[in-house]
Amino acid sequence: MVTVESERRTAPDAGSWAGARLVEAAQHGDREAIAAVVHGAHPHVRRFAHHLCASSDDAEDAAQEALIILYRKIGTLRATSAIASWMFRIVRNECLRRARAALAPRAELGGIDFAASAEDEVLRRLDAEQLTQAITELPMVQRRVLIMRDVLGYSGRATADALGLSTAAMKSQLHRARSAVRDSLVPTR
């Protein structure tokens, strides 16, 4: 069993949150090591989620989901050195999943989604994928402003305050984001 303190002292990089021995012990089911890896990953995962997700609530939820996956599936990780990229990929996917869910309009009847036809469903999914890709390609500030204003429905003042921008700067970023998304969705001839 690897003790958390011995791992922290012998970790090759003092700034790293998970040394190879600690991750390896966690992979083999050492509960203390798993707890140490999850605890050490939390601030990094949370910070990354806040940079990627549109809202603080989505970021917190994405970070929490990533930590749950880490706790449950650390034994499936193949290379101990890949833990950081694995965690950040989970966070990224969770933030994208939340953005897609917010963008996808649904016609619900009794809790069941119905599509008018298979063709309509394919076209709706294609449009949603193109829109999601266009939003993903935006610079971070523009992406966050666009999602907060147009997807989540935050007011201009609330969006500006949440992102630390003036209202004028927020409006400028929103205009740029909308223009970039519109330009990327226009078919080229």
Side-chain angles (χ1 to χ4, degrees):
M1 179 165 106
V2 176
T3 65
V4 176
E5 282 306 310
S6 70
E7 177 57 26
R8 285 185 183 143
R9 284 193 300 269
T10 60
D13 175 12
S16 79
W17 52 269
R21 287 184 30 200
L22 185 63
V23 173
E24 191 173 311
Q27 287 175 299
H28 290 94
D30 181 338
R31 291 195 181 270
E32 184 181 330
I34 293 171
V37 170
V38 169
H39 180 73
H42 185 257
H44 302 286
V45 167
R46 192 168 177 263
R47 184 172 44 250
F48 185 66
H50 276 278
H51 285 296
L52 209 58
C53 290
S55 71
S56 292
D57 288 342
D58 281 349
E60 291 298 326
D61 290 345
Q64 198 66 28
E65 184 66 26
L67 293 171
I68 290 169
I69 291 170
L70 170 64
Y71 179 79
R72 289 181 180 163
K73 296 188 176 186
I74 191 154
T76 65
L77 183 64
R78 291 185 185 155
T80 59
S81 61
I83 191 164
S85 61
W86 183 55
M87 288 301 303
F88 293 137
R89 190 169 47 251
I90 292 168
V91 171
R92 188 187 115 242
N93 290 343
E94 187 62 22
C95 287
L96 287 173
R97 187 188 69 73
R98 290 176 179 284
R100 284 184 188 120
L103 291 173
R106 297 178 187 244
E108 293 190 18
L109 181 60
I112 301 172
D113 289 347
F114 289 98
S117 70
E119 182 180 312
D120 289 342
E121 181 65 14
V122 168
L123 291 173
R124 186 191 64 76
R125 285 186 183 181
L126 182 60
D127 289 344
E129 287 176 17
Q130 290 173 335
L131 182 59
T132 300
Q133 183 64 33
I135 292 171
T136 302
E137 292 172 356
L138 291 171
M140 182 179 58
V141 172
Q142 290 178 14
R143 179 175 58 241
R144 293 181 84 185
V145 167
L146 181 77
I147 291 173
M148 289 181 79
R149 288 285 290 138
D150 292 349
V151 176
L152 300 175
Y154 284 80
S155 69
R157 168 63 64 201
T159 301
D161 291 345
L163 298 175
L165 300 171
S166 68
T167 302
M170 183 279 305
K171 287 179 180 179
S172 176
Q173 292 295 335
L174 180 60
H175 174 74
R176 289 180 187 147
R178 286 174 175 165
S179 295
V181 168
R182 186 175 30 253
D183 291 346
S184 69
L185 295 178
V186 173
T188 55
R189 294 177 188 201

